[in-house]
Amino acid sequence: FTTVSAPVEAGLRLLQLTPAQAFLPSDGREMAVPAWRINAAIASAVMERFNGPRVIDYEHQTLHKEANGKPAPAAGWIKGLRWIEGQGLFAIADLTDKARAAIDAKEYLYVSPVFLFHPQTGEVLDIRMAALTNDPGIRGMQALSAMQAAATAKFSPAPSISSTPSEEPMNPTLKAL
């Protein structure tokens, strides 16, 4: 599986939804699988099934609005998905002005996804939505502030499988992160 990653369209941002490979919850919840899993092949299937846009809200309020009666305004919309080898699955997000300002002011530091996974293997099957939060439910998430410099950068293509190893070029900003 090889992806050629173009720069993110102007006005859109990349937001990490999952780390690469196996990952665990950060809140100590019981799991029926040893870990959730995603890699390039799994991500490819998730991206093929994606039929956005999907909502990005604040603190998962969309999931709680019926119980607490509070509004669930959108912080933005997931327009597409992108796999970045070694880093994980990312949302190509169209954020509201209010959400961009909150991120830039460091009022929100992380994104927390809501996803479906296979009950026996833990493989990610679908991204349902995401939320801006300060307490992500997944270990190993990148802070939004760390992604700002790379938000409009060109990312290197994922390495292809070949018989001769070669070093792939990497964007200097991404490498510095």
Side-chain angles (χ1 to χ4, degrees), residues 107-173:
E107 293 173 11
Y108 285 98
L109 292 179
Y110 298 98
V111 172
S112 179
V114 175
F115 58 93
L116 301 177
F117 63 92
H118 191 281
Q120 281 83 40
T121 66
E123 290 180 6
V124 174
L125 299 173
D126 188 27
I127 300 296
R128 304 301 301 155
M129 61 178 289
L132 298 181
T133 187
N134 289 317
D135 187 18
I138 296 174
R139 288 187 202 165
M141 296 294 286
Q142 296 177 14
L144 289 166
S145 58
M147 289 185 274
Q148 292 306 317
T152 58
K154 288 184 179 179
F155 290 92
S156 302
S160 58
I161 299 170
S162 68
S163 57
T164 57
S166 64
E167 187 173 329
E168 294 287 334
M170 180 177 268
N171 177 288
T173 305

Side-chain angles (χ1 to χ4, degrees), residues 74-94:
W77 300 94
I78 301 171
K79 299 288 195 168
L81 300 171
R82 179 176 294 169
W83 175 255
I84 301 176
E85 193 62 43
Q87 293 186 46
L89 185 64
F90 285 72
I92 300 170
D94 183 9

Side-chain angles (χ1 to χ4, degrees), residues 1 3 5 20-21 38-40 43 47 81-85 88-89:
F1 172 76
T3 47
S5 298
Q21 304 305 325
I38 193 162
N39 57 32
M47 291 184 289
L81 300 171
R82 179 176 294 169
W83 175 255
I84 301 176
E85 193 62 43
L89 185 64

Side-chain angles (χ1 to χ4, degrees), residues 38-93:
I38 193 162
N39 57 32
I42 297 167
S44 177
V46 172
M47 291 184 289
E48 285 179 27
R49 284 191 291 272
F50 182 78
N51 61 347
R54 304 277 173 89
V55 72
I56 301 169
D57 67 9
Y58 300 92
E59 304 293 348
H60 293 297
Q61 179 55 23
T62 299
L63 299 175
H64 305 294
K65 67 183 178 183
E66 298 301 320
N68 67 23
K70 295 180 182 177
W77 300 94
I78 301 171
K79 299 288 195 168
L81 300 171
R82 179 176 294 169
W83 175 255
I84 301 176
E85 193 62 43
Q87 293 186 46
L89 185 64
F90 285 72
I92 300 170

